[in-house]
Amino acid sequence: MNQTEGTQRELDVHLPYLHRAVLLARQAREHGNHPFGALLVDEQGNILLEAENTVVTERDCTGHAETNLVRAAWRQYPAQVLARCTLYTSTEPCAMCAGAIYWAGIGRVVYALSEAELRQMTGAHAENPTLNLPCREVFQTGQRNIEVIGPVDLTEARQVHLGFWNAL
């Protein structure tokens, strides 16, 4: 097995969860929120929790999908479990969400659309003042290791944003 085959096989394990995260993003959009979704998966591949963005409907600027997920996860699971979990998200976690993921001690993050690509799509949109700070950089400043896989090229991760930001 060469490096490319190994990488593709490893990526194939993550794809169903990323597709689910994008579906959650689509649901968030349908519910009147920004199109972001996230889920938490344990080391056996079981989906433990799912979350959508709720910024608009909850009138909470911290209601990002990942932060909503982290809040629920922290209430329900001990640190030892979270350290072995993977957080899948439709879009790279912003700096705030990366901080929440770090503090929760979640061991791995896998994302589809990069923050940089999202920023290109949204421009200087008032409802998405994207920071140019990749989650890897946030995690690297901490004292625990968080594995990061992404961006993973999924057409639907871009499509869920199409027409959204310019319609607001």
Side-chain angles (χ1 to χ4, degrees):
M1 172 172 67
N2 66 39
Q3 184 71 20
T4 305
E5 289 171 346
T7 303
Q8 185 58 51
R9 285 186 189 146
E10 291 169 15
L11 185 59
D12 288 346
V13 170
H14 301 298
L15 288 176
Y17 302 113
L18 287 172
H19 289 295
R20 180 72 187 155
V22 173
L23 176 64
L24 292 165
R26 186 166 311 287
Q27 290 174 354
R29 181 176 176 163
E30 291 168 0
H31 295 144
N33 289 295
H34 302 159
F36 302 98
L39 58 142
L40 188 69
V41 176
D42 70 13
E43 61 188 330
Q44 288 81 37
N46 301 305
I47 296 174
L48 301 179
L49 294 168
E50 297 180 335
E52 298 175 7
N53 179 289
T54 58
V55 167
V56 176
T57 56
E58 299 286 326
R59 288 210 27 84
D60 177 2
C61 63
T62 67
H64 294 193
E66 300 91 340
T67 303
N68 289 338
L69 186 77
V70 165
R71 284 185 191 116
W74 186 252
R75 286 185 201 110
Q76 294 181 43
Y77 298 100
Q80 311 86 279
V81 171
L82 295 176
R84 295 186 310 270
C85 284
T86 300
L87 187 148
Y88 289 91
T89 183
S90 59
T91 306
E92 181 176 5
C94 71
M96 175 186 71
C97 292
I101 292 163
Y102 172 80
W103 284 108
I106 294 170
R108 179 169 49 190
V109 172
V110 181
Y111 66 89
L113 187 69
S114 73
E115 185 84 355
E117 189 171 354
L118 176 65
R119 187 176 184 158
Q120 289 173 354
M121 294 176 77
T122 63
H125 198 285
E127 288 197 32
N128 191 45
T130 305
L131 295 170
N132 187 19
L133 184 58
C135 68
R136 280 180 176 86
E137 290 183 28
V138 174
F139 297 145
Q140 288 171 355
T141 65
Q143 298 177 8
R144 70 170 63 99
N145 183 41
I146 298 174
E147 181 184 0
V148 178
I149 299 171
V152 176
D153 187 23
L154 289 181
T155 301
E156 64 263 36
R158 286 184 289 285
Q159 288 175 337
V160 73
H161 291 277
L162 292 179
F164 180 82
W165 299 102
N166 56 3
L168 294 177

